[in-house]
Amino acid sequence: MACAVVAYQAEQNKSPLLWQCGAHTICSDFKQLYYNEKGEIFHLSYSTLLQLASGGNKKAIANSKWHAWLTEEEAAVVIGYVQEMGNHGFPLSHQWLKNHVDEICQAHLGSEFPEGGVGVNWTYHFVERSSEQLKVLCSCPLKSKCGKAVNPLTNEAWWSLLSKTLEKSCIKQQNTYGVDEMDFQPAGREQEYVIGSQKTGLQYQQ
C-alpha cells in the first residue's frame, strides 16, 4: 500500500496538462504487478489509498466512526464468522450482518448503544474496511434437492449418469452448462447480494 500511495501522490503532482492516473487505476496496476510477481491475488482498496494519500493513517482509518462500534477483537470474530458461514453455503446478507453486530454491541455497550443499532450503511463500510478478507457477491442458490444430495455416493452416481447421458445423446462437453452444480440450465435462479470471503468464484447459497 505504501508504494501505491507514493505512486498516486506522484501522479497528482504532475502538470495539469499531463494525463494523471486515478486511485482505481493505481490500485489495478499494483494488483497486477503483485500477481505477476507472486502469482497471488492481492486486494487494494482505492478508498483506503485516497485516505492515506491525503494524510490519514491506518490506525485512524481503522478507528473511524463507522468501525468504532466493534473492538479489533470483535471485528476479527465477525469477519471469521462471515467467512465461515459463506464457506458452508449460508452467506450473510447485509441485514443479517447488521443484526449480529447489533447483538454484539448491545451486549457490551448496553444503554449507550443506539436503539436502532448501527447505521444503515455501516455494514457496507465494514465490508469495504475489511476488503482484504471480505467482499460482496451475488449469491447463486442451489436447488433444495441438489443441496441435500451432497455426499460421496450421490456425487459419484451423478457423474456416472452424466457421463453416460452425454455419450448416449452425443452431447459435446462445451454444450453443458452448470451441470456440476445446478442442473443443466442455471437460468431463472433467484439471486441476492451477500457477503463472503475475498476469493474468486461463485458464492453458492443453500
Side-chain angles (χ1 to χ4, degrees), residues 39 46 75 79 102 124 136 155 158 163 184 202:
Y46 76 91
I79 291 172
D102 286 347
Y124 295 89
V136 176
N155 186 56
W158 162 249
S163 178
F184 276 92
L202 299 175

Side-chain angles (χ1 to χ4, degrees), residues 18-177:
L18 299 177
W19 173 262
Q20 297 179 350
C21 294
H24 282 281
T25 302
I26 294 294
C27 287
S28 297
D29 290 346
F30 272 85
K31 285 190 289 186
Q32 187 61 50
L33 288 172
Y34 188 85
Y35 180 79
N36 293 341
E37 181 179 348
K38 303 290 186 178
E40 299 176 358
I41 297 176
F42 179 72
H43 183 77
L44 286 177
S45 171
Y46 76 91
S47 61
T48 301
L49 171 61
L50 290 174
Q51 293 186 60
L52 292 175
S54 63
N57 57 72
K58 292 183 178 180
K59 183 176 181 180
I61 295 172
N63 293 326
S64 58
K65 183 177 180 180
W66 46 262
H67 187 249
W69 289 120
L70 296 176
T71 65
E72 291 186 7
E73 292 76 12
E74 290 170 340
V77 171
V78 170
I79 291 172
Y81 178 70
V82 172
Q83 291 176 323
E84 181 180 1
M85 293 300 292
N87 293 338
H88 289 170
F90 300 96
L92 300 183
S93 64
H94 282 281
Q95 183 60 51
W96 276 110
L97 175 58
K98 179 184 184 305
N99 292 344
H100 289 306
V101 171
D102 286 347
E103 291 178 356
I104 293 173
C105 294
Q106 184 64 47
H108 73 82
L109 293 176
S111 59
E112 296 181 5
F113 187 64
E115 185 176 346
V118 297
V120 294
N121 294 321
W122 189 93
T123 57
Y124 295 89
H125 293 310
F126 180 78
V127 173
E128 183 179 3
R129 159 67 176 79
S130 310
S131 58
E132 294 184 4
Q133 297 92 12
L134 304 176
K135 70 176 180 180
V136 176
L137 311 95
C138 189
S139 67
C140 190
L142 292 173
K143 283 185 176 180
S144 59
K145 62 181 179 182
C146 294
K148 295 176 181 178
V150 183
N151 64 69
L153 293 178
T154 53
N155 186 56
E156 181 179 355
W158 162 249
W159 286 110
S160 176
L161 177 61
L162 175 62
S163 178
K164 293 178 181 178
T165 301
L166 295 179
E167 182 178 354
K168 180 180 179 180
S169 303
C170 298
I171 300 175
K172 295 181 179 180
Q173 186 174 0
Q174 61 265 32
N175 291 329
T176 60
Y177 309 97

